[in-house]
Amino acid sequence: MRSKTANGNWFECTVRYERQMENGMTKAVPELYVVEAVSFGDAEKIITEEMSAFVSGNFEVKNINPATYREIFFSENTNDDRWYKAKLSFITFDEKTEKEKRSTVTYLVQASTFNGAVKNIEEVMAGTLIDYVIANITETKIMDVFEK
């Protein structure tokens, strides 16, 4: 596993393009990608360049939103072809109030299954000393992540 914090920001980009279906017909399909960019304009440029190798025909960037991920955990395993959004709660202890404090952080994790996502999170987090709880993991519709 390899984790990466964006040098700029992460952006979720929804694109629509014509894909040839199994019956030979073409159909306009929307897909979601994540790109690392410094601005919305940069994100549009990057997703357009990345998709140009895969798309012939009509192509349109439908939407760009800033992503809320602090980091992305990339897997070196070629079978890990899905992306999971994971919310981790970090547990700290406030000595003044003598109370437990939790702060939630969102990560994007590459894995092939839900259990694989948990395993990958645990592998990355094993190198940290802070206590944490996996609060939530959900599979996303993200097709791929393009980093700088």
Side-chain angles (χ1 to χ4, degrees):
M1 288 301 300
R2 169 177 67 85
S3 75
K4 177 155 188 210
T5 304
N7 293 329
N9 297 302
W10 297 112
F11 290 90
E12 291 183 343
C13 301
T14 303
V15 300
R16 185 178 201 89
Y17 66 95
E18 292 181 359
R19 178 190 296 165
Q20 187 161 354
M21 308 308 283
E22 291 179 11
N23 63 6
M25 301 290 290
T26 59
K27 180 180 178 181
V29 295
E31 290 184 345
L32 181 62
Y33 294 87
V34 174
V35 298
E36 179 183 9
V38 294
S39 66
F40 284 88
D42 190 33
E44 182 176 18
K45 178 182 171 213
I46 290 168
I47 193 63
T48 301
E49 289 172 357
E50 292 289 347
M51 295 303 295
S52 67
F54 305 107
V55 175
S56 61
N58 292 337
F59 171 80
E60 183 179 10
V61 178
K62 295 295 284 180
N63 197 11
I64 300 175
N65 290 314
T68 59
Y69 323 124
R70 177 174 289 174
E71 287 182 66
I72 296 182
F73 300 158
F74 292 91
S75 174
E76 304 300 327
N77 185 340
T78 56
N79 293 329
D80 291 345
D81 59 350
R82 295 185 178 125
W83 292 95
Y84 294 84
K85 189 183 289 188
K87 289 187 180 183
L88 275 60
S89 291
F90 293 99
I91 304 165
T92 56
F93 187 75
D94 187 340
E95 292 181 16
K96 289 181 182 179
T97 62
E98 296 183 4
K99 292 186 179 181
E100 187 178 272
K101 181 180 175 186
R102 292 179 181 238
S103 56
T104 303
V105 179
T106 304
Y107 296 93
L108 192 63
V109 183
Q110 188 177 20
S112 60
T113 64
F114 177 88
N115 290 338
V118 172
K119 180 182 143 292
N120 289 348
I121 291 166
E122 289 173 346
E123 181 181 323
V124 171
M125 297 307 293
T128 66
L129 298 176
I130 193 163
D131 292 331
Y132 71 95
V133 173
I134 299 173
N136 188 1
I137 298 178
T138 55
E139 186 175 350
T140 69
K141 294 183 184 260
I142 295 170
M143 300 300 290
D144 206 353
V145 174
F146 300 111
E147 59 184 317
K148 286 186 179 182

